[in-house]
Amino acid sequence: MRGLWLEDRSLRLRDDIPVPEPPPGEVRIRVLRAGVCNTDLELVRGYYPFTGVPGHEFVGRVERAPGAEGWEGRRVVGEINAACRTCPTCAAGRPTHCETRTVLGIVGRHGAFAESLTLPVGNLHAVPGSLPDEVAVFTEPLAAALEIQQQVDVAAGQRIVVVGDGKLGNLVSQTLALAGGDVLVIGRYPAKLELLAGRGVSTGFADALPERMADLVVECTGDPDGFALARRAVRPRGTIVLKSTYRGDATVSFSALVVDEITLVGSRCGPFAPALDLLESGRVDVTGLVHARYPLDQALTAFDHAARPGVLKVLVDCGG
Amino acid sequence: MRGLWLEDRSLRLRDDIPVPEPPPGEVRIRVLRAGVCNTDLELVRGYYPFTGVPGHEFVGRVERAPGAEGWEGRRVVGEINAACRTCPTCAAGRPTHCETRTVLGIVGRHGAFAESLTLPVGNLHAVPGSLPDEVAVFTEPLAAALEIQQQVDVAAGQRIVVVGDGKLGNLVSQTLALAGGDVLVIGRYPAKLELLAGRGVSTGFADALPERMADLVVECTGDPDGFALARRAVRPRGTIVLKSTYRGDATVSFSALVVDEITLVGSRCGPFAPALDLLESGRVDVTGLVHARYPLDQALTAFDHAARPGVLKVLVDCGG
């Protein structure tokens, strides 16, 4: 089959990738749409040494589901962590942290920028019929945005600063505003901020950052410099949620974190069911987030496009 | 009066420090004993540009308390943050983070390595008569250890690793074991670890560190390398409490914190009342923690002694 292939930090289109045969407990899915995430771009930059088909944001249709034929023909999205379900970490209720997990298009498992992929049947979520593909494809990043509320209490009127007006920053801001937060998004791009201004949040550039005032700051820039802004924004005893993954280390004064008693919370994948609900009800709006669509055989161009400054979501039509 | 004086990273003994006159709302205290803390050593190394009398761990006797004469003659310990009590941070119930606070012997207020000091009357806690000076002087660092439980839930059986067998690591370990934690202290000094082995905690060297297993890790080494050990010990979705203040920045992979969804919590000063209770009841034992005592005119030697590897608490008798 056709698909993108990442190897030694180099991305190429291949036509000779074997069609995956679902192992026991898994299903094969024809990919309809896949979205380019910053993590995909960081993988190409060497953030993590992955070889294979990248891509973890997708909507598709189940093609083959041995032993779970009820899923065949259904349109689905899929959680990206495939856990063993038996190790102590899984037994403790943290399957997304299973020490032997594979992760779709990121760790040990081919991903979504191809005609087909496989996932465990337990990872699937049926997509409501009313939800267009180009909306359903946002389920995974929206779930990641919702993970914040699994980790941190968000109260009505809480002063929240979201640093970053990109794809993730947009979804994070919308979900925190829905939870009652008094949200200010700090960004760089007037057009991106304008998208959010209609969603009940305040927006501004870095010079509008109120210093040492925010109860909660979410760092979504995908850039080490974002942390410096987050650190300036947070009040003593406040919380900074880290959402970005990127290559390289950051430099931070731990002593200053101690003196100000700041809490940092790393935050990754989140719950799919409430994400689908929010998309279906329209309470989270992804209109305007899609900046471009390319067919699978132009997926390399799609990646280049997604890497340009100021670009939001780029989708790839995988032909499923 | 006599006292230690820190200026331009240089410490000297002075005999010409003016006896402090308590401003309105404050009292003057004759210092009985003061303890050398790692923060004092870090101040000399330039952690923070303080000029004046260092020292923030003390027990003393109130000498002059205008308008609060009931305190005169009483033996006291004192909270070290002097807050304005009116700013938004104070009004929000976070006086230890008051943006215009002074901090005894650390920020804008002369400290305890002198014959006298002044503090607001609201900062005082009477010392029970049964508590010897050399035990009461541990109230401040013990309160700092207890701050952890103000910030993080500690449950019975929780797997806790304390990195650092020093003064603070000892007190942190004892308090977390009392809270029901299954505590392992990782240290470098057999004698220090032995002190703790009698207090219901397990002990070991770095090679005994169980990797990715601890629910909660407390970093008490006062050294950037301690974080690397803490990071290795903590399980996915676990918490690392940072207790050390030292000069310089640390390098950390934020992406790895995101992937493992680790929480970091900066932790500083804590509640004095429960600390006094624990010392009075003997549930926290500081026997063996005092490695040396010096009179005030040998306070420079006391600092040198405290800076030697393997040394725990060094006390200064300030003559009060």
Side-chain angles (χ1 to χ4, degrees):
Chain A
M1 66 177 182
R2 177 165 295 183
L4 267 188
W5 191 265
L6 175 64
E7 192 165 355
D8 293 334
R9 303 192 193 183
S10 164
L11 208 55
R12 68 182 199 273
L13 199 66
R14 283 179 58 176
D15 280 313
D16 59 348
I17 301 170
V19 174
E21 201 49 42
E26 300 206 3
V27 307
R28 183 166 70 222
I29 299 161
R30 294 277 293 179
V31 183
L32 295 160
R33 305 267 183 285
V36 183
C37 168
N38 274 347
T39 301
D40 300 319
L41 302 175
E42 287 293 323
L43 278 178
V44 178
R45 290 175 191 134
Y47 151 65
Y48 187 88
F50 175 71
T51 296
V53 179
H56 57 276
E57 301 178 0
F58 77 96
V59 56
R61 194 173 297 279
V62 178
E63 186 179 38
R64 231 172 84 66
E69 284 77 8
W71 281 99
E72 287 180 1
R74 296 182 75 178
R75 203 162 53 115
V76 295
V77 288
E79 298 188 40
I80 71 174
N81 298 280
C84 74
R85 307 273 166 191
T86 58
C87 73
T89 301
C90 284
R94 297 186 290 271
T96 58
H97 291 280
C98 168
E99 297 284 340
T100 61
R101 71 187 180 275
T102 58
V103 187
L104 188 70
I106 300 175
V107 182
R109 174 178 286 271
H110 297 308
F113 294 115
E115 287 167 340
S116 297
L117 60 82
T118 66
L119 268 182
V121 66
N123 285 39
L124 305 184
H125 294 260
V127 175
S130 63
L131 216 54
D133 291 343
E134 56 270 27
V135 176
V137 74
F138 284 93
T139 307
E140 197 280 335
L142 180 55
L146 292 172
E147 175 73 352
I148 297 168
Q149 294 177 56
Q150 307 276 312
Q151 300 174 286
V152 175
D153 286 329
V154 177
Q158 207 172 27
R159 290 163 305 178
I160 301 176
V161 169
V162 176
V163 183
D165 54 7
K167 311 177 270 293
L168 187 56
N170 182 295
L171 297 173
V172 164
S173 303
Q174 290 195 56
T175 54
L176 293 175
L178 283 172
D182 177 6
V183 178
L184 167 67
V185 185
I186 296 294
R188 288 184 178 173
Y189 297 94
K192 293 183 180 181
L193 292 175
E194 212 162 290
L195 268 182
L196 280 163
R199 304 303 298 176
V201 304
S202 309
T203 62
F205 301 120
D207 58 4
L209 189 81
E211 304 216 354
R212 297 173 74 81
M213 286 287 288
D215 304 305
L216 174 64
V217 183
V218 185
E219 201 293 289
C220 298
T221 61
D223 186 310
D225 296 341
F227 182 73
L229 282 179
R231 188 64 188 81
R232 273 170 50 200
V234 72
R235 68 159 168 84
R237 284 216 188 128
T239 297
I240 299 174
V241 174
L242 305 171
K243 287 298 303 185
S244 305
T245 47
Y246 43 76
R247 187 155 180 263
D249 292 338
T251 298
V252 56
S253 166
F254 279 174
S255 298
L257 295 180
V258 168
V259 169
D260 284 338
E261 296 193 306
I262 302 302
T263 295
L264 302 188
V265 181
S267 176
R268 187 167 41 97
C269 300
F272 269 46
L276 279 165
D277 286 347
L278 287 172
L279 290 173
E280 192 185 11
S281 66
R283 296 175 71 213
V284 166
D285 182 10
V286 296
T287 311
L289 280 178
V290 177
H291 275 193
R293 279 173 63 165
Y294 292 89
L296 182 56
D297 51 15
Q298 292 176 34
L300 290 170
T301 312
F303 264 63
D304 289 342
H305 193 153
R308 280 187 227 154
V311 169
L312 287 169
K313 188 62 75 187
V314 173
L315 298 182
V316 175
D317 296 352
C318 293
Chain B
M1 66 177 183
R2 178 164 294 183
L4 269 187
W5 191 265
L6 174 63
E7 191 165 355
D8 292 334
R9 302 191 192 183
S10 165
L11 207 56
R12 68 180 199 275
L13 199 65
R14 283 179 59 177
D15 280 313
D16 60 347
I17 301 171
V19 174
E21 201 47 43
E26 301 206 2
V27 307
R28 183 166 70 221
I29 299 162
R30 293 277 294 179
V31 183
L32 294 160
R33 305 266 184 285
V36 183
C37 168
N38 274 347
T39 301
D40 300 320
L41 302 175
E42 287 294 324
L43 279 178
V44 179
R45 289 175 192 135
Y47 152 64
Y48 188 87
F50 175 69
T51 295
V53 178
H56 57 277
E57 300 178 1
F58 78 96
V59 55
R61 192 172 300 278
V62 178
E63 186 179 38
R64 232 172 83 66
E69 285 76 9
W71 281 100
E72 287 180 0
R74 296 183 75 178
R75 205 162 52 115
V76 295
V77 289
E79 298 188 40
I80 70 174
N81 298 280
C84 75
R85 308 271 167 191
T86 59
C87 73
T89 301
C90 285
R94 297 186 290 273
T96 59
H97 292 279
C98 169
E99 297 285 341
T100 61
R101 73 186 179 275
T102 58
V103 187
L104 188 71
I106 301 174
V107 183
R109 172 178 289 269
H110 297 309
F113 293 116
E115 288 168 337
S116 298
L117 60 81
T118 67
L119 268 182
V121 66
N123 284 41
L124 304 184
H125 294 260
V127 175
S130 63
L131 217 53
D133 290 343
E134 56 269 28
V135 176
V137 73
F138 284 93
T139 307
E140 197 280 335
L142 180 56
L146 291 172
E147 175 73 352
I148 296 167
Q149 295 178 54
Q150 306 277 312
Q151 300 174 287
V152 174
D153 286 330
V154 177
Q158 206 171 30
R159 291 163 303 179
I160 300 175
V161 170
V162 176
V163 183
D165 54 8
K167 310 176 270 293
L168 187 57
N170 182 296
L171 298 173
V172 164
S173 303
Q174 290 195 56
T175 55
L176 293 175
L178 283 172
D182 177 7
V183 178
L184 168 66
V185 185
I186 296 294
R188 287 184 179 173
Y189 297 93
K192 293 183 182 182
L193 293 174
E194 213 163 288
L195 268 184
L196 279 162
R199 305 303 299 174
V201 305
S202 309
T203 63
F205 300 120
D207 58 3
L209 188 82
E211 304 216 352
R212 298 174 73 81
M213 285 286 287
D215 303 306
L216 173 64
V217 184
V218 185
E219 202 292 290
C220 299
T221 61
D223 186 309
D225 296 341
F227 182 73
L229 282 178
R231 187 64 188 82
R232 272 170 50 200
V234 73
R235 68 160 168 83
R237 283 214 190 131
T239 297
I240 300 174
V241 173
L242 305 171
K243 286 299 301 184
S244 306
T245 47
Y246 43 76
R247 186 154 180 262
D249 291 338
T251 298
V252 56
S253 166
F254 279 172
S255 298
L257 295 180
V258 169
V259 169
D260 285 338
E261 296 193 306
I262 303 302
T263 295
L264 302 189
V265 181
S267 177
R268 187 166 43 94
C269 300
F272 270 46
L276 280 166
D277 285 348
L278 287 172
L279 290 173
E280 192 185 10
S281 67
R283 295 175 73 213
V284 165
D285 181 11
V286 297
T287 311
L289 279 178
V290 177
H291 275 194
R293 280 173 63 165
Y294 291 89
L296 182 56
D297 51 14
Q298 291 176 35
L300 290 169
T301 311
F303 264 63
D304 288 343
H305 192 152
R308 280 188 228 153
V311 171
L312 287 170
K313 188 61 76 186
V314 173
L315 298 182
V316 175
D317 296 353
C318 293

